[in-house]
Amino acid sequence: LYKQQLRIIEKRKLWNIYEERLKLLPITHEIERRGVTANKARLDELKATYIKEAAEAGELCRKIAKSCDYDIELPKSGSNNSLRAFVFDVLKLPAVSASKKTGEAKLDKNCMEAYETLLPQRSKGLMFIKALRAKRKRDTAVSYMTSYERYWIPLDIHNDKGEQLWFLLIHH
């Protein structure tokens, strides 16, 4: 089987990619054996950036709603009645998908992606959906970054100030 795979790799002119991918095997093994490391300073920097970007996207959502004379209350995650009312009653966006349980129109990730292809360029609806999607992406990333701290152990590597720099993420 191995000899046949090598022939196929050569036939498809993928030898350079194959050799480069071979270099990843020891790295992958080390990650699987030891775990993934995290740099606290970089994590804190990214987290602050994402929090700021989520706030900016949320503010853009509120400005768009205000331009339609609607005072929106954005949910911490998912959707709420205020968001659904704005999207479906004020912006009059069509329902892309409905919940099997409640029959209510959904505003999940798949619906957001669909709206980005369906809505006219430069429309308020498209601007709102893009901003809401950006906010959700950043909020999700911040949640993950925050949870890393529950699952890491210090690697005893410090900076000049004596601050712990590197941590090992463990998983259960």
Side-chain angles (χ1 to χ4, degrees), residues 18-78:
Y18 171 72
E19 286 184 325
E20 199 62 33
R21 297 290 301 246
L22 283 177
K23 294 176 187 176
L24 296 175
L25 292 176
I27 297 167
T28 304
H29 170 73
E30 186 62 21
I31 288 171
E32 289 175 352
R33 188 178 70 78
R34 182 172 186 217
V36 176
T37 55
N39 180 288
K40 183 167 179 9
R42 180 66 177 140
L43 188 69
D44 290 345
E45 178 186 324
L46 274 176
K47 201 164 142 183
T49 300
Y50 288 1
I51 288 169
K52 181 181 176 230
E53 289 175 357
E56 289 170 353
E59 187 55 35
L60 179 56
C61 287
R62 282 186 276 286
K63 283 181 181 177
I64 293 169
K66 193 162 196 74
S67 75
C68 297
D69 293 325
Y70 189 83
D71 188 23
I72 195 166
E73 184 181 319
L74 292 173
K76 296 261 187 230
S77 65

Side-chain angles (χ1 to χ4, degrees), residues 64-130:
I64 293 169
K66 193 162 196 74
S67 75
C68 297
D69 293 325
Y70 189 83
D71 188 23
I72 195 166
E73 184 181 319
L74 292 173
K76 296 261 187 230
S77 65
S79 60
N80 61 13
N81 290 337
S82 178
L83 177 60
R84 275 193 292 282
F86 179 68
V87 169
F88 300 117
D89 299 335
V90 177
L91 291 177
K92 306 234 185 277
L93 299 186
V96 175
S97 178
S99 168
K100 290 179 184 174
K101 264 185 180 179
T102 64
E104 286 184 333
K106 295 195 313 189
L107 285 172
D108 62 10
K109 180 183 172 192
N110 295 333
C111 294
M112 296 285 167
E113 289 173 2
Y115 283 130
E116 286 193 19
T117 60
L118 295 172
L119 297 173
Q121 292 297 314
R122 299 184 185 169
S123 66
K124 279 187 183 182
L126 182 60
M127 289 189 313
F128 181 82
I129 292 298
K130 283 185 173 184

